[in-house]
mmCIF file of all heavy atoms in Angstrom:
data_model
loop_
_atom_site.group_PDB
_atom_site.id
_atom_site.type_symbol
_atom_site.label_atom_id
_atom_site.label_comp_id
_atom_site.label_asym_id
_atom_site.label_seq_id
_atom_site.Cartn_x
_atom_site.Cartn_y
_atom_site.Cartn_z
ATOM 1 N N ILE B 292 -15.867 -15.621 1.714
ATOM 2 C CA ILE B 292 -16.052 -17.005 1.353
ATOM 3 C C ILE B 292 -15.649 -17.852 2.549
ATOM 4 O O ILE B 292 -16.295 -18.715 2.895
ATOM 5 C CB ILE B 292 -15.398 -17.421 -0.005
ATOM 6 C CG1 ILE B 292 -16.143 -16.745 -1.132
ATOM 7 C CG2 ILE B 292 -15.470 -18.935 -0.232
ATOM 8 C CD1 ILE B 292 -15.396 -16.771 -2.381
ATOM 9 N N VAL B 293 -14.449 -17.529 2.979
ATOM 10 C CA VAL B 293 -13.962 -18.330 4.093
ATOM 11 C C VAL B 293 -14.726 -18.203 5.301
ATOM 12 O O VAL B 293 -15.062 -19.088 6.111
ATOM 13 C CB VAL B 293 -12.425 -17.840 4.457
ATOM 14 C CG1 VAL B 293 -11.976 -18.597 5.641
ATOM 15 C CG2 VAL B 293 -11.505 -18.274 3.315
ATOM 16 N N LEU B 294 -15.138 -16.923 5.532
ATOM 17 C CA LEU B 294 -16.036 -16.616 6.884
ATOM 18 C C LEU B 294 -17.246 -17.353 6.657
ATOM 19 O O LEU B 294 -17.711 -18.021 7.697
ATOM 20 C CB LEU B 294 -16.300 -15.174 6.836
ATOM 21 C CG LEU B 294 -17.207 -14.706 7.981
ATOM 22 C CD1 LEU B 294 -16.521 -14.957 9.320
ATOM 23 C CD2 LEU B 294 -17.473 -13.174 7.896
ATOM 24 N N ILE B 295 -17.906 -17.346 5.538
ATOM 25 C CA ILE B 295 -19.258 -18.027 5.355
ATOM 26 C C ILE B 295 -19.022 -19.558 5.578
ATOM 27 O O ILE B 295 -19.843 -20.294 6.284
ATOM 28 C CB ILE B 295 -19.829 -17.732 3.967
ATOM 29 C CG1 ILE B 295 -20.276 -16.307 3.967
ATOM 30 C CG2 ILE B 295 -20.961 -18.784 3.654
ATOM 31 C CD1 ILE B 295 -20.694 -15.789 2.562
ATOM 32 N N LEU B 296 -17.926 -20.119 5.155
ATOM 33 C CA LEU B 296 -17.671 -21.652 5.208
ATOM 34 C C LEU B 296 -17.435 -21.804 6.692
ATOM 35 O O LEU B 296 -18.102 -22.843 7.199
ATOM 36 C CB LEU B 296 -16.349 -21.954 4.482
ATOM 37 C CG LEU B 296 -16.477 -21.998 2.976
ATOM 38 C CD1 LEU B 296 -15.196 -22.238 2.422
ATOM 39 C CD2 LEU B 296 -17.438 -23.111 2.515
ATOM 40 N N PHE B 297 -16.874 -20.997 7.455
ATOM 41 C CA PHE B 297 -16.708 -21.171 8.943
ATOM 42 C C PHE B 297 -18.077 -21.028 9.550
ATOM 43 O O PHE B 297 -18.370 -21.915 10.563
ATOM 44 C CB PHE B 297 -15.745 -20.131 9.451
ATOM 45 C CG PHE B 297 -14.322 -20.760 9.606
ATOM 46 C CD1 PHE B 297 -13.402 -20.539 8.585
ATOM 47 C CD2 PHE B 297 -14.011 -21.415 10.800
ATOM 48 C CE1 PHE B 297 -12.161 -21.049 8.691
ATOM 49 C CE2 PHE B 297 -12.683 -21.962 10.940
ATOM 50 C CZ PHE B 297 -11.811 -21.745 9.836
ATOM 51 N N LEU B 298 -18.818 -20.150 9.177
ATOM 52 C CA LEU B 298 -20.168 -19.944 9.774
ATOM 53 C C LEU B 298 -21.082 -21.228 9.556
ATOM 54 O O LEU B 298 -21.890 -21.628 10.506
ATOM 55 C CB LEU B 298 -20.911 -18.686 9.396
ATOM 56 C CG LEU B 298 -20.278 -17.400 9.809
ATOM 57 C CD1 LEU B 298 -20.883 -16.181 9.180
ATOM 58 C CD2 LEU B 298 -20.458 -17.277 11.331
ATOM 59 N N ILE B 299 -20.839 -21.887 8.421
ATOM 60 C CA ILE B 299 -21.721 -23.020 8.111
ATOM 61 C C ILE B 299 -21.140 -24.259 8.907
ATOM 62 O O ILE B 299 -21.935 -24.919 9.583
ATOM 63 C CB ILE B 299 -21.699 -23.277 6.624
ATOM 64 C CG1 ILE B 299 -22.371 -22.214 5.849
ATOM 65 C CG2 ILE B 299 -22.364 -24.631 6.289
ATOM 66 C CD1 ILE B 299 -22.331 -22.293 4.393
ATOM 67 N N PHE B 300 -19.906 -24.402 8.787
ATOM 68 C CA PHE B 300 -19.330 -25.758 9.282
ATOM 69 C C PHE B 300 -18.700 -25.496 10.785
ATOM 70 O O PHE B 300 -18.505 -26.632 11.372
ATOM 71 C CB PHE B 300 -18.309 -26.276 8.374
ATOM 72 C CG PHE B 300 -18.767 -26.625 7.019
ATOM 73 C CD1 PHE B 300 -18.407 -25.854 5.946
ATOM 74 C CD2 PHE B 300 -19.629 -27.680 6.885
ATOM 75 C CE1 PHE B 300 -19.100 -26.164 4.705
ATOM 76 C CE2 PHE B 300 -20.188 -27.993 5.615
ATOM 77 C CZ PHE B 300 -19.888 -27.249 4.557
ATOM 78 N N ARG B 301 -18.380 -24.377 11.245
ATOM 79 C CA ARG B 301 -17.762 -24.265 12.415
ATOM 80 C C ARG B 301 -18.167 -22.883 12.999
ATOM 81 O O ARG B 301 -17.352 -21.944 13.229
ATOM 82 C CB ARG B 301 -16.217 -24.264 12.351
ATOM 83 C CG ARG B 301 -15.502 -24.366 13.588
ATOM 84 C CD ARG B 301 -14.846 -25.693 13.791
ATOM 85 N NE ARG B 301 -14.241 -25.794 15.088
ATOM 86 C CZ ARG B 301 -14.048 -26.781 15.752
ATOM 87 N NH1 ARG B 301 -14.501 -27.925 15.297
ATOM 88 N NH2 ARG B 301 -13.505 -26.746 16.997
ATOM 89 N N PRO B 302 -19.548 -22.781 13.350
ATOM 90 C CA PRO B 302 -19.949 -21.449 13.733
ATOM 91 C C PRO B 302 -19.544 -20.820 14.984
ATOM 92 O O PRO B 302 -19.483 -19.660 15.178
ATOM 93 C CB PRO B 302 -21.549 -21.660 13.924
ATOM 94 C CG PRO B 302 -21.631 -23.204 13.902
ATOM 95 C CD PRO B 302 -20.522 -23.850 13.221
ATOM 96 N N ASP B 303 -18.921 -21.680 15.876
ATOM 97 C CA ASP B 303 -18.337 -21.220 17.215
ATOM 98 C C ASP B 303 -16.809 -20.864 16.959
ATOM 99 O O ASP B 303 -16.279 -20.542 17.942
ATOM 100 C CB ASP B 303 -18.520 -22.213 18.291
ATOM 101 C CG ASP B 303 -20.002 -22.426 18.632
ATOM 102 O OD1 ASP B 303 -20.729 -21.505 18.493
ATOM 103 O OD2 ASP B 303 -20.393 -23.628 18.896
ATOM 104 N N GLY B 304 -16.336 -21.002 15.834
ATOM 105 C CA GLY B 304 -14.993 -20.660 15.562
ATOM 106 C C GLY B 304 -14.022 -21.844 15.723
ATOM 107 O O GLY B 304 -14.483 -22.934 16.140
ATOM 108 N N ILE B 305 -12.673 -21.566 15.418
ATOM 109 C CA ILE B 305 -11.780 -22.680 15.523
ATOM 110 C C ILE B 305 -11.739 -23.200 16.847
ATOM 111 O O ILE B 305 -11.716 -24.489 17.085
ATOM 112 C CB ILE B 305 -10.358 -22.213 15.055
ATOM 113 C CG1 ILE B 305 -10.430 -21.638 13.760
ATOM 114 C CG2 ILE B 305 -9.427 -23.255 15.111
ATOM 115 C CD1 ILE B 305 -9.171 -20.979 13.280
ATOM 116 N N PHE B 306 -11.493 -22.385 17.844
ATOM 117 C CA PHE B 306 -11.315 -22.851 19.236
ATOM 118 C C PHE B 306 -12.588 -22.807 19.957
ATOM 119 O O PHE B 306 -12.927 -21.704 20.586
ATOM 120 C CB PHE B 306 -10.238 -22.080 19.897
ATOM 121 C CG PHE B 306 -8.931 -22.180 19.223
ATOM 122 C CD1 PHE B 306 -8.415 -21.090 18.576
ATOM 123 C CD2 PHE B 306 -8.146 -23.346 19.282
ATOM 124 C CE1 PHE B 306 -7.173 -21.148 17.918
ATOM 125 C CE2 PHE B 306 -6.908 -23.362 18.595
ATOM 126 C CZ PHE B 306 -6.527 -22.323 17.873
#
Side-chain angles (χ1 to χ4, degrees):
Chain B
I292 290 170
V293 173
L294 178 62
I295 288 168
L296 288 175
F297 264 90
L298 287 173
I299 294 170
F300 298 108
R301 190 109 185 151
D303 296 325
I305 301 171
F306 299 109

